[in-house]
Amino acid sequence: MIPLKPYHGSTRKLVVAMDIGTTYSGVAYSILDPGERPKIQGITRFPSGQENAAGDSKIPSIIYYRGDGTVHSVGAEAAAPGMDLVAEDDDLVFVEWFKLHLRPSTLDSDEIRQSELPPLPEGKNVLDVFADFMRYLFYCTERYISETHANGVSLWASVKEHIDFVLSHPNGWEGLQQNKMRQAAVMAGLVPDTAGGHARIHFITEGEASLHFCIRGGLASDVIVDGENVMIVDAGGGTVDISSYSFLSTGPLSVEEIAPADCIMQGSTRINVRAERFLKEHLEDSAYGNEEDIKAMLDHFDKSTKLIFKDGNDQSYIKFGSMGCNDPRVKIRRGQLVLSGAEMESFYKPSLDAIVDAVQGQRQSASKPVSTVFLVGGFAASPWLFGNLQRMLQSLGLSLFRPDNHTNKAVAEGGVSSYLEQFVSVRVIKTTYGIEFNRDYNKRDAAHLARSSAKVVRPSGCVVIPGAFSAILTKV
């Protein structure tokens, strides 16, 4: 593990990294004292619901709203036992997967349709929901630091006006999404709506944050040698982000991106969507094909069946209802729906194939050869995904590795690391940047002749064609 350098600032400050994921979210932080080596720490205790779950570094990305639009409960509190009954009694509105509403249209595909996304509450837009969730994470951060550090309350008081935030986002998100996240941070009260406040918000792609985590966590220690190249596959709930890097030098550590970062909408939520489609079709003529039973099945599928599935030769089981629930025609016995290995694999295989295709595309576009791949993110914990991806990549001459545990905290901790020390010195842009200008009209140019109706005569007498594009930075 590479030690962090002492902090050279003149005053104490705090850096907080928020990883707001489609299904789970986490926070990491570091208190920076002049002359001291920083320590990266994760929030591992959240209010109500995870008070005793020491070491759990993530909470569900969910919110319950009251009918008047105010927040009832968030994250761990919204997942507390009995909340479904409270929600039913109090007419609460449940929100999940809200991050996907912020995705750029360029990531839309047949795999993700707007109609399949859980709707936002009436009168709420995606920025409102993001702001409410950020406000909760910030509250959790204040509470955790105040309760776990010696003289925590006075410590928080000394840094609360000197906090920089690192917000991570998928590789496929760009300036528009960053601007909206910055607006949400202002709405949440993280920073004031001033130039100085905006400057305290920093962004990093989930792929680059994962690289920092791998380096800091020692996972990449065997490949941190001059000239070695690696690929990071961050498989999360909504997206799978693919990035490739080359280690230019190890003393000091310098890294360059060697391919345009890629992002595909094939995270673990796609497994749930395919499972839901299957259940609705499979149980269409069954007494258990009603909305309530299917909801109960999907809940058990997400929390248990999906997590332990590892072999296409084995059957899987979804529990619901009671022991009296039986329908042999659709393989329901004593409150359990039996799924064959082939049926389970049909939920996963489109994601696996898309990841392999994306890895191959990344490898082909890389400016240097890549032979090592690191798999991180919440979806990386799937034994079926890891085993089959490892097998398929091995056939392509690629070695796949993943951390033994805590893959779900990679982005948050990597975000703090990126703030403290910037390893990546060169990045590959995915878009050509330039400016619009008026080009002098050339009647001998066929393209100009085709647009002659748009020509404009300037006061100087010069004839120009408006709307020309001049590249400032050209994508590779």
Side-chain angles (χ1 to χ4, degrees):
M1 184 180 296
I2 301 173
L4 290 165
K5 297 177 182 178
Y7 173 58
H8 296 300
S10 58
T11 58
R12 170 185 278 179
K13 69 185 301 184
L14 172 68
V15 55
V16 175
M18 293 184 176
D19 169 27
I20 300 178
T22 302
T23 51
Y24 287 90
S25 298
V27 182
Y29 69 95
S30 183
I31 298 167
L32 310 183
D33 283 310
E36 300 292 327
R37 290 187 185 274
K39 180 182 179 182
I40 299 174
Q41 298 175 264
I43 305 296
T44 57
R45 188 170 64 244
F46 295 88
S48 182
Q50 283 184 268
E51 298 287 352
N52 300 315
D56 201 338
S57 58
K58 281 210 168 186
I59 57 169
S61 301
I62 56 176
I63 303 178
Y64 273 112
Y65 285 97
R66 299 183 182 90
D68 62 2
T70 58
V71 173
H72 177 277
S73 52
V74 187
E77 296 174 270
M83 264 307 301
D84 54 340
L85 300 179
V86 173
E88 185 177 331
D89 292 341
D90 295 350
D91 249 354
L92 303 180
V93 180
F94 182 67
V95 178
E96 63 177 346
W97 300 5
F98 58 86
K99 179 179 179 179
L100 297 182
H101 286 273
L102 197 60
R103 75 196 186 284
S105 58
T106 52
L107 291 182
D108 282 354
S109 67
D110 291 339
E111 270 301 325
I112 181 164
R113 306 183 185 103
Q114 186 68 31
S115 60
E116 290 179 338
L117 293 182
L120 299 176
E122 186 175 349
K124 293 278 184 180
N125 59 40
V126 67
L127 292 190
D128 296 326
V129 179
F130 254 88
D132 289 334
F133 201 80
M134 285 182 178
R135 191 179 298 111
Y136 174 78
L137 291 181
F138 188 50
Y139 160 73
C140 292
T141 303
E142 177 183 358
R143 173 172 165 165
Y144 184 83
I145 291 175
S146 298
E147 291 182 352
T148 58
H149 288 262
N151 300 314
V153 174
S154 60
L155 170 62
W156 180 261
S158 71
V159 298
K160 66 179 182 180
E161 302 300 329
H162 308 281
I163 306 177
D164 277 18
F165 295 89
V166 181
L167 305 180
S168 55
H169 59 77
N171 290 352
W173 289 18
E174 299 169 347
L176 178 61
Q177 286 72 40
Q178 290 183 351
N179 185 50
K180 289 182 177 180
M181 291 178 72
R182 188 183 292 109
Q183 291 179 49
V186 171
M187 292 166 60
L190 271 58
V191 297
D193 192 10
T194 63
H198 291 188
R200 288 163 49 198
I201 300 291
H202 308 266
F203 295 97
I204 185 170
T205 63
E206 292 169 2
E208 189 170 319
S210 296
L211 171 72
H212 276 266
F213 174 79
C214 289
I215 292 173
R216 284 279 167 230
L219 178 64
S221 58
D222 292 337
V223 298
I224 301 180
V225 295
D226 293 359
E228 188 63 45
N229 313 311
V230 300
M231 187 182 300
I232 306 291
V233 176
D234 177 16
T239 62
V240 178
D241 297 294
I242 303 99
S243 315
S244 297
Y245 301 92
S246 176
F247 292 95
L248 299 178
S249 68
T250 55
L253 185 60
S254 179
V255 181
E256 73 168 349
E257 195 174 43
I258 57 175
D262 197 8
C263 177
I264 56 175
M265 304 297 292
Q266 289 288 353
S268 62
T269 55
R270 297 298 92 200
I271 311 304
N272 296 45
V273 169
R274 296 183 196 111
E276 182 176 9
R277 289 176 189 164
F278 169 84
L279 291 176
K280 287 181 176 179
E281 182 178 340
H282 182 65
L283 302 175
E284 185 177 11
D285 297 323
S286 171
Y288 305 107
N290 60 81
E291 183 178 343
E292 185 176 340
D293 282 332
I294 288 181
K295 183 178 181 298
M297 292 179 196
L298 288 171
D299 185 61
H300 186 271
F301 176 86
D302 184 57
K303 294 177 180 178
S304 178
T305 311
K306 184 175 74 170
L307 303 181
I308 61 177
F309 174 61
K310 62 180 178 180
D311 192 333
N313 294 317
D314 296 335
Q315 290 183 329
S316 294
Y317 301 88
I318 300 178
K319 292 182 180 180
F320 76 101
S322 66
M323 293 284 285
C325 297
N326 293 282
D327 188 342
R329 295 174 305 127
V330 290
K331 297 188 294 185
I332 291 177
R333 182 183 177 191
R334 295 184 180 180
Q336 295 187 84
L337 171 66
V338 181
L339 295 175
S340 68
E343 288 168 338
M344 283 292 292
E345 287 191 320
S346 71
F347 308 151
Y348 285 80
K349 198 168 185 309
S351 290
L352 173 67
D353 292 342
I355 293 172
V356 172
D357 288 345
V359 168
Q360 287 183 292
Q362 182 87 174
R363 191 184 192 187
Q364 291 167 3
S365 63
S367 59
K368 299 178 181 180
V370 177
S371 59
T372 302
V373 180
F374 292 119
L375 180 66
V376 297
F379 197 12
S382 165
W384 188 93
L385 177 68
F386 176 69
N388 283 273
L389 185 59
Q390 186 177 52
R391 175 179 54 80
M392 293 184 73
L393 294 188
Q394 189 172 24
S395 68
L396 299 173
L398 294 168
S399 299
L400 180 69
F401 304 94
R402 67 173 174 179
D404 288 335
N405 51 28
H406 300 311
T407 58
N408 61 359
K409 68 178 183 177
V411 174
E413 293 197 2
V416 176
S417 174
S418 73
Y419 178 92
L420 299 175
E421 292 184 351
Q422 281 287 344
F423 298 141
V424 182
S425 58
V426 177
R427 293 178 178 85
V428 179
I429 63 169
K430 298 180 290 182
T431 305
T432 294
Y433 293 87
I435 58 172
E436 185 178 312
F437 75 106
N438 296 328
R439 184 182 294 277
D440 290 342
Y441 178 69
N442 180 359
K443 62 182 179 182
R444 296 184 180 85
D445 189 316
H448 286 208
L449 287 173
R451 300 179 60 198
S452 60
S453 62
K455 66 185 179 182
V456 176
V457 181
R458 305 295 298 273
S460 63
C462 179
V463 182
V464 299
I465 296 288
F469 181 78
S470 177
I472 296 175
L473 196 59
T474 306
K475 70 176 182 179
V476 181

